[in-house]
Amino acid sequence: MSIEKEVLERSKYSCELCTSTESIFVFIVEPKTGIYAEEALTMCQNCSDQINGFKPHDTNHWRLLNDTIWSDVPAVKVICYRLLHELKAEIWPLELLEMMYLDDETLEWAKATLDDAIDVPHLDSNGALLRNGDTVTLIKDLDVKGANFTAKRGTAVRNIRLAHDNPEHIEGKINGQGIVILTQYVKK
C-alpha cells in the first residue's frame, strides 16, 4: 500500500486538523521525507492556505486545535505545535501549548523549522520573566501620550501581551486605553 493511500485511509479522507472533507490532500511535514505514514497528514486547502501564508490565520478556525492536539499521529502533533507557536500572541494557544505533550523526538521535529529568533525573553524591572496574560504593576508614574492622563505607580495592568519583536515592550490597558509600556517600568 502506498504511503498516500495509507494516510488517506487513516484519516477517513478528511482533514486531520479540521475534519473537512473538501479538497483533501496528503501533506508531508518538513523536514521529514514522507517515507513513513506518521510523517504525513491529510489537510484541506483552507488549512493549507493559512499554514503556508496564502491566507491570514483565522484564529477562530484554529480553536479546533483544542481537540486536535490529542491526536496519536506524530505529524498532526507537529503541525499543531507549530500553529500554536505562531498564534501565541493570543492567550489560548499558550494554554494549549502548556497542556500538549510531545516526546523528545517529536518535539525536536516540531521545533526544526520554527524561527526561535522571534522568541526574545521579556523581563520586568526585577529580571522576572514575563508571559502573555500576566498581571504586572507599574513601578513609577507614567505619562500616557495621546491619552491625557498619568498612569499612577502601583496601577495593575492585567492580561498583558508581549511584543514579539521587541523585548522591552509589552501591551496592556489602563483606564480602558490600550498602551505600550516599557518593561523597565513594571514588576510582576
Side-chain angles (χ1 to χ4, degrees), residues 23 37-38 46 61 63 73 90 92 106-107 114 120 123 128 134-135 137 144 157 161 165 173 185 188:
S23 304
E38 299 82 33
N46 182 35
H61 173 76
R63 287 189 179 270
V73 179
E90 302 283 329
W92 65 267
T106 307
L107 182 60
L114 292 178
V120 288
L123 304 175
D134 280 349
T135 297
T137 305
V144 180
V157 183
R161 290 179 55 155
D165 59 343
K173 285 188 175 182
Y185 300 128
K188 197 168 180 179

Side-chain angles (χ1 to χ4, degrees), residues 79-92:
I79 291 295
C80 288
Y81 182 89
R82 291 176 183 173
L83 282 166
L84 291 169
H85 194 271
E86 286 181 35
L87 298 168
K88 66 184 179 184
E90 302 283 329
I91 293 172
W92 65 267

Side-chain angles (χ1 to χ4, degrees), residues 16-36:
E16 291 183 276
L17 297 173
C18 75
T19 69
S20 172
T21 55
E22 296 180 23
S23 304
I24 302 301
F25 61 93
V26 174
F27 181 83
I28 298 169
V29 182
E30 293 179 345
K32 301 291 184 174
T33 59
I35 297 172
Y36 304 105

